[in-house]
Amino acid sequence: MIGFIGMGVMGARMAGHLARRYELLVWNRTPEKAAGIDGGKVAESLQELAESCDEIFICVSKTEDVQEVLAGLKQHLRENALIVDHSTIEPKAAKEMAREFGRFVDAPVTGGEKGAIEGTLTIFCGGRQENFERAKPFMETYGKRVRRVGESGSGQMMKMANQISVVGCVLAMAESLAFAERAGLNMEETIELVGSGAGGSWSLTNYGPKVLARDWSPGFSIDLQQKDLRYALEAANEMGLDLPGTKLVESLFASLQEQGRGGQATPALFEVIAG
Ligand code: NAP
């Protein structure tokens, strides 16, 4: 039996793919959300899930949440249990978890809710080769690129590199569209034409229409993005690397959080620029 913990935006979709291929047991802190998963049985407790499953997948929010889940599983795990964590957390915490549990893969994802629905996520994995090989077929039910990028913590480091690139693109999208709007350009045309050349990006193509509709429903929330930027800036600092652009975006998102808009999607950054 396979276990999946965390039925949020991402976890529920990923678990849905597993349920189509494997016998699945799911658990969510708020039980009502777990009940909505097609095909998966719902565990009453973390203990029940740990006692029943050989492979356990986790997708919760931040480092402390993964630690809390692991504490709930620990005493009850099967001898050979493998744990795969899809949450984005601090790389150094992932390393500690691997030291403590042995059979542990850090496996943060990218591709958003759309990628989770379509089963086309990219999954950055860190950990021992044999643990990765064991987890890979399960992850391939929702991942298009499932890659081991190094030892424990490396998956999270790759995810940090990803997030640094993502926020640069979101800022470029927001500034470009604010400029185009102020200049009175046709906005649909701007997205199409700028998006077709060297100025194009995933952000412009996918978030551009959301900006035009002023649709800030997540998706990926500013609060989650800020968590990732904190982890990225901390990891960069530990390596003696300054990331001025990432710091700038972090401060711009912070201004939206101060307005109580942390639950909105990241393209809302446009409104900080456009005014
Ligand atoms: P989400 O919709 O907010 O869901 C978070 C899930 O974690 C919920 O099921 C929540 O349970 C559970 N949870 C949080 N703290 C917990 C705790 N202490 N103990 C047990 N369960 C806990 O988040 P998401 O968007 O699915 O994101 C999940 C992870 O994937 C995050 O690390 C995020 O950074 C990463 N990620 C997200 C996206 C995206 O586009 N959304 C893309 C890539 C990566 P409750 O239902 O009880 O609150």
Side-chain angles (χ1 to χ4, degrees):
M1 178 103 79
I2 311 298
F4 206 111
I5 295 165
M7 298 293 108
V9 170
M10 299 298 284
R13 305 299 196 174
M14 293 151 84
H17 289 286
L18 279 174
R20 271 174 236 131
R21 293 276 297 276
Y22 302 98
E23 212 186 337
L24 184 73
L25 191 61
V26 303
W27 182 86
N28 196 61
R29 181 178 59 181
T30 309
E32 301 77 56
K33 280 200 218 162
I37 300 302
D38 277 350
K41 292 194 197 103
V42 181
E44 297 272 317
S45 62
L46 286 175
Q47 175 172 350
E48 184 195 341
L49 189 138
E51 287 171 349
S52 314
C53 298
D54 293 308
E55 286 88 11
I56 299 176
F57 296 79
I58 301 173
C59 190
V60 294
S61 303
K62 56 187 187 300
T63 302
E64 293 77 9
D65 302 317
V66 179
Q67 286 165 338
E68 201 177 314
V69 166
L70 292 175
L73 294 171
K74 191 172 178 187
Q75 303 305 319
H76 312 289
L77 287 170
R78 292 180 164 206
E79 204 178 307
N80 198 34
L82 172 71
I83 299 171
V84 178
D85 178 29
H86 288 306
S87 325
T88 304
I89 66 168
E90 289 151 281
K92 62 186 177 199
K95 273 191 203 167
E96 279 161 27
M97 289 166 190
R99 258 197 300 277
E100 186 176 353
F101 289 88
R103 282 176 285 277
F104 183 94
V105 180
D106 52 292
V109 305
T110 186
E113 186 182 11
K114 185 165 180 275
I117 292 169
E118 293 171 357
T120 55
L121 293 170
T122 295
I123 311 182
F124 314 117
C125 300
R128 294 209 305 263
Q129 184 70 28
E130 71 264 26
N131 292 336
F132 170 70
E133 298 287 349
R134 190 173 149 197
K136 194 174 176 219
F138 302 108
M139 294 191 281
E140 281 175 338
T141 64
Y142 43 80
K144 193 167 157 195
R145 284 190 192 80
V146 182
R147 196 79 61 81
R148 178 180 178 270
V149 296
E151 295 302 325
S152 295
S154 307
Q156 296 294 352
M157 286 302 245
M158 186 68 86
K159 173 72 184 181
M160 298 298 106
N162 184 75
Q163 297 308 74
I164 290 161
S165 181
V166 164
V167 295
C169 293
V170 174
L171 179 63
M173 177 281 297
E175 291 197 349
S176 173
L177 292 186
F179 180 91
E181 189 176 77
R182 193 67 64 92
L185 296 174
N186 178 302
M187 296 300 278
E188 278 89 6
E189 202 166 48
T190 304
I191 292 170
E192 184 199 338
L193 296 181
V194 175
S196 69
S201 68
W202 187 97
S203 273
L204 187 63
T205 305
N206 290 278
Y207 289 155
K210 278 179 166 261
V211 167
L212 299 203
R214 302 295 192 267
D215 170 11
W216 315 130
S217 59
F220 189 61
S221 69
I222 290 165
D223 286 340
L224 282 178
Q225 184 70 83
Q226 286 291 77
K227 159 190 72 91
D228 295 357
L229 293 188
R230 271 201 315 279
Y231 297 160
L233 288 169
E234 192 182 298
N237 189 41
E238 283 165 10
M239 297 187 293
L241 183 67
D242 190 31
L243 300 176
T246 306
K247 281 184 190 160
L248 170 65
V249 183
E250 199 269 343
S251 70
L252 297 173
F253 279 138
S255 68
L256 286 170
Q257 286 178 307
E258 279 158 25
Q259 296 167 25
R261 299 178 63 180
Q264 295 185 346
T266 55
L269 184 65
F270 169 82
E271 291 193 331
V272 181
I273 310 291

